[in-house]
Each structure stands twice: as structure tokens, then as C-alpha cells.
Amino acid sequence: MFKRREQTIGTLILRNLRAQGLETPLLQKRLVASWPAVAGKAIARFSTATDIRNQTLYVKVTVPALRADLSMRRQEFVRLLNENVGNQVIADIRFF
């Protein structure tokens, strides 16, 4: 008799993504796309997550007063975004 190594399809897909080096870009895309949901409708109306470089999320904010408020809540947003994705993707956020 042989021993079966049954695995879920999710595990196999994740292993394949890691092997091809696609896991990190996929997580980054999910994180950028989750900005409106995490930030909330009011904040998302005046801000847009643009990209991630060197574990830093760049968010364009059109209202200077909101930019100052978001800068003070930076670590809270880092935590919430990483929790939403389920992995440590970013370490900082820059609002511009």
C-alpha cells in the first residue's frame, strides 16, 4: 500500500505561486485594492492607493487636512491593511 498525501487546491495553488515568485505581487495587488474598504468611504473619496515600493504603500490624498490626519494614524492603517490581506506586506505608508 502507498500513503496518500492529499492536499487542498488552495495549498497547491499557493505553493505554485511561491515557486514562480508570484505570491508577493499578488498580495501587493490585493492590499492596494483593499485601501477603500479599510479606509472607509469618506476617506477613500479623497484618497487613492497608488503603488507599493520597498514595503511602503503610497497613497495620494487630495485634501491637506486629511493628509495630516492620516499621517497620525499611519501605524493603525498599516496593521489593518496587513490583517486584511493576511500577511505582512507593508511596513509603512506615505501620504502625498
Side-chain angles (χ1 to χ4, degrees):
M1 284 267 138
F2 61 92
K3 189 174 185 179
R4 286 188 179 197
R5 294 185 316 157
E6 295 177 7
Q7 298 176 352
T8 64
I9 189 75
T11 304
L12 294 173
I13 290 173
L14 187 59
R15 183 182 303 150
N16 191 20
L17 286 173
R18 281 186 188 145
Q20 294 181 11
L22 298 174
E23 181 184 26
T24 301
L26 178 64
L27 289 173
Q28 289 177 347
K29 172 107 174 83
R30 282 187 194 165
L31 191 130
V32 169
S34 70
W35 171 254
V38 171
K41 288 182 182 179
I43 294 173
R45 241 174 70 191
F46 301 105
S47 63
T48 306
T50 58
D51 65 335
I52 297 174
R53 287 178 271 155
N54 297 328
Q55 290 189 328
T56 301
L57 174 66
Y58 289 86
V59 179
K60 181 176 173 74
V61 183
T62 58
V63 180
L66 180 61
R67 186 180 309 125
D69 182 49
L70 292 175
S71 293
M72 289 186 280
R73 297 174 54 195
R74 176 180 304 172
Q75 291 305 317
E76 176 186 352
F77 281 114
V78 168
R79 182 182 54 80
L80 290 172
L81 286 165
N82 283 328
E83 284 177 3
N84 191 33
V85 174
N87 207 334
Q88 179 71 27
V89 179
I90 60 170
D92 197 14
I93 300 177
R94 296 282 179 218
F95 299 102
F96 65 97

